[in-house]
Structures are given as C-alpha cells and as structure tokens.
Amino acid sequence: AEKVLGYDLLSLCLEGPRAELDRTRHCQPAVRKAPLAPVFSRGLYLPSISVFFSLALYAVKVRAEAMQKASEAVPSGMLSVIGRREANYKFACLEARKHCESLGIENPICEISNYLFPDSRVIAGHLQALEFLRENARKYYFTRTSMLPVSGAFHTRLMEPAVEPLSEVLKSIEIQKPLVCVYSNVDGKKYMHAKHIEKLLVKQVVSPVLWEQTMHSVYERKQGTEFPYTYEVGPGKQLGAVLKKCNLKAWKLYNHVDALEDEEAAET
C-alpha cells in the first residue's frame, strides 16, 4: 500500500494525526486497505491477489485525491439529519439554496446525499446552506442535526471534477462480473456486467447513496420465505442499528462479529 500511495498509511492509521486521517485522500485508502490486511498478514498472500490489491488501491487513490481536490475548491460539507415524519427534506434543501443565492453564491448546491433509513438523511452542499438548515431545524421538523467529520459534499454535483479522473483509471482496469451478488448503492440493484460496474462506480461519486433502498432490494423475499443471516464484521454496530430501522424481520437474524474477538481469544 505504501508503494502505491506514496506515503506510510499504516503509521497514519495507528499514530495520526487524526485531522490528516480524516482527509478524504487518506481516509478512503485506509477504509479500502484495512479489511484486506489480515489476508496478507496470515499467509494468504498470492501474486494474483497482490496485483488486484494494487490496482484497486490505485483506483481508490485516484478517486480520493480527485475528491479531495474538488472539496478544497468550494467550502462544503455534509449534515446528518434525523427528522420527524412531517419533514420535507427536498423543500428544506430548496430554501437553503435560495438562502445561498441571497448571499451572492452562484449555482449553490444543497441536496440529499445519503438515504440512510426512514426519517434519516444526510444533506450535503455549500457550508452556508448547511448552516442555514441547522439554524432553521425546527421549521423543517428536524429533531437532530450534526455535521459529519468530512472535508466536502460527497455524492453531490460538487464532486463532478472527480468524475473524469476516476473514469480514466477504471478504463485501465479489467473489471469482471462478480462471483456473488453485489448491489450498487446508486440504484439499489445488482451489478449486471463489467461495463455496468464501471459506469455506476463513476456515477456513484456524484449520486446520492441509496442505502435504505438497497436494504429493501437485498432482503426482498417472497411471502413465507425465510430471511438469511446477516453479519456485521468490525467495530461498532451502526449498520445493524440502521438495518433494524429498515427491515425489522431481517434484523432479527442479525449478528455482530467484533474484529478484535479473534485476536483477544488467541492471546488468552
């Protein structure tokens, strides 16, 4: 990873500083690399895996650096919102954009970037728009708002400068159809073929994350069909909490596997 990225990612993950790790150009490669680290450290290192790892990490590097550059071009961010049933997120975004226009901001961006679960959205765009929404939260029936620790308005049109660099690097990578079902959070549907994957990976940079809709697709079953077991592997149970709000039946067969359990058991 260090050879591909050009910096010591392991040291950055373990020692920080936190502010640097939170920058998207560092955060995205870290998220990509961490789940694969045990594969290499436990003797399963293979040349084919190494090549795949390097190509995939390089693509993430290009994506992250392009998104970081786009973030620095415009002061922007992401706002997590919990709303009541009366909340109209799109109308709130419209009024926030009008507020930005009154400040002299041309073509302001304020739109839903993540559909997490019923009554929960992430709104992204110009910082002035997000501040407006926080100050007027009660008017729009928002019960809780909090700024996310990210450097830009991801999954919005503000990330358009990152589209071409990612598109170019993906053309140089041979993408194959997945051996198992993989769902795209761009449309909540399964990837169909290599070109479909390439197209949606690029589109995902500027499109909202349809997490709630994807959960419905993954767990869609004929009446009377049993739900599969679901495992969340790693620190925290955030995805399980979201699943509970999206699909209670699926959540009843949910289990959490802490990433540290095996290491602690081995030590004792």
Side-chain angles (χ1 to χ4, degrees):
E2 185 175 347
K3 290 179 180 179
V4 174
L5 298 172
Y7 58 86
D8 189 348
L9 183 60
L10 178 60
S11 176
L12 186 59
C13 289
L14 297 177
E15 301 171 13
R18 174 65 181 269
E20 281 298 307
L21 186 57
D22 281 345
R23 299 185 71 194
T24 191
R25 68 184 300 266
H26 297 142
C27 182
Q28 289 190 29
V31 171
R32 167 66 185 149
K33 175 184 178 296
L36 294 177
V39 175
F40 293 89
S41 64
R42 295 181 184 177
L44 297 179
Y45 186 98
L46 297 172
S48 57
I49 295 178
S50 176
V51 171
F52 166 77
F53 174 80
S54 298
L55 288 172
L57 189 59
Y58 178 70
V60 173
K61 175 180 183 288
V62 171
R63 179 183 188 268
E65 290 179 348
M67 291 175 69
Q68 181 71 49
K69 187 176 181 180
S71 299
E72 293 171 352
V74 177
S76 59
M78 304 180 78
L79 181 71
S80 176
V81 178
I82 302 293
R84 291 161 55 182
R85 291 192 175 182
E86 303 96 318
N88 187 327
Y89 302 96
K90 291 185 177 180
F91 176 70
C93 289
L94 173 62
E95 294 214 322
R97 291 195 295 272
K98 289 182 178 179
H99 168 73
C100 287
E101 290 174 348
S102 72
L103 299 177
I105 299 174
E106 296 183 5
N107 301 317
I109 301 296
C110 183
E111 54 197 50
I112 299 172
S113 62
N114 294 68
Y115 292 80
L116 295 176
F117 55 86
D119 303 323
S120 177
R121 303 285 186 270
V122 174
I123 296 174
H126 282 78
L127 287 180
Q128 296 89 334
L130 303 183
E131 188 58 36
F132 173 82
L133 293 179
R134 296 187 74 182
E135 293 174 356
N136 295 275
R138 186 173 297 181
K139 174 184 177 181
Y140 301 115
Y141 301 101
F142 297 164
T143 58
R144 191 173 69 196
T145 63
S146 61
M147 292 295 296
L148 298 181
V150 296
S151 57
F154 305 143
H155 308 294
T156 72
R157 286 172 289 153
L158 284 175
M159 291 295 108
E160 285 181 352
V163 167
E164 187 175 348
L166 178 60
S167 178
E168 288 301 312
V169 74
L170 288 177
K171 290 177 183 177
S172 66
I173 298 175
E174 183 181 354
I175 300 174
Q176 298 182 0
K177 183 178 179 180
L179 297 177
V180 296
C181 292
V182 179
Y183 291 76
S184 168
N185 58 33
V186 173
D187 57 12
K189 299 177 181 179
K190 299 175 186 177
Y191 286 124
M192 302 302 293
H193 48 76
K195 284 295 181 183
H196 187 220
I197 296 171
E198 182 181 325
K199 178 182 177 181
L200 290 184
L201 284 178
V202 173
K203 191 176 180 180
Q204 197 253 6
V205 174
V206 293
S207 301
V209 174
L210 305 185
W211 185 262
E212 179 183 347
Q213 296 86 332
T214 302
M215 289 296 94
H216 291 316
S217 295
V218 170
Y219 293 103
E220 186 177 9
R221 295 289 187 280
K222 293 181 180 179
Q223 190 170 3
T225 304
E226 292 186 1
F227 279 82
Y229 285 96
T230 299
Y231 298 91
E232 179 175 2
V233 181
K237 301 180 181 179
Q238 293 90 340
L239 297 181
V242 172
L243 176 61
K244 184 177 182 180
K245 294 180 181 295
C246 289
N247 194 315
L248 186 58
K249 289 184 178 179
W251 177 79
K252 290 179 179 178
L253 293 175
Y254 159 88
N255 287 284
H256 173 248
V257 180
D258 195 304
L260 300 178
E261 285 181 359
D262 288 344
E263 292 181 12
E264 292 173 354
E267 290 175 359
T268 56

